Amino acid sequence: QVQLVESGGGLVQAGGSLRLSCVASRSIVSMNAMGWYRQAPGKQRELVARMPSGGGTTYADSVKGRFTISRDSAKKTVFLQMTSLKAEDTAAYYCAADLPTYDEHFVRVWGQGTQVTVSS
């Protein structure tokens, strides 16, 4: 069973930066789709940034130009570099990995989440 552990959340002032890390228990980062999602109180969980298994990156419109998703396969880690943070970025952030199954389906594995709070 693959496990994901996030870290790096905390309290930061608007305009500041924060880097989140997601460490996988096994070497799956380079071969599977990895992503960051967030959920604010009273709102649905939404995609923030994602690295599809085929390469490239995708971002939510609200974070384009401010957030960057990256990986270090040797360290089995996915990062989310957040800059120019806004109050509306406040949310619980979750790391996720999409793992293939034998029947061409995927199962999404989630981390426990890390809280990001941006003060204005």
Side-chain angles (χ1 to χ4, degrees), residues 2 11 16 19 21 26 31 33 35 50 54 58-59 62 68 72 76 100 102 108 113:
V2 174
L11 176 64
R19 189 178 78 161
S21 299
R26 296 185 178 182
M31 299 180 65
R50 190 169 185 268
T58 59
Y59 296 91
S62 60
T68 302
D72 185 333
K76 299 181 290 185
Y102 72 95
R108 179 162 291 170

Side-chain angles (χ1 to χ4, degrees), residues 30-98:
S30 65
M31 299 180 65
N32 298 277
M34 304 292 297
W36 286 96
Y37 299 76
R38 69 185 181 187
Q39 186 167 21
K43 296 185 177 181
Q44 297 180 336
R45 186 170 298 185
E46 64 177 353
L47 172 69
V48 176
R50 190 169 185 268
M51 297 187 297
S53 60
T57 57
T58 59
Y59 296 91
D61 289 340
S62 60
V63 307
K64 286 182 178 178
R66 300 189 298 118
F67 291 10
T68 302
I69 186 171
S70 62
R71 65 188 176 196
D72 185 333
S73 297
K75 296 182 178 180
K76 299 181 290 185
T77 304
V78 176
F79 303 97
L80 182 67
Q81 179 66 51
M82 305 182 292
T83 62
S84 301
L85 283 162
K86 305 174 181 179
E88 51 263 43
D89 294 320
T90 295
Y93 284 71
Y94 298 88
C95 176
D98 294 338

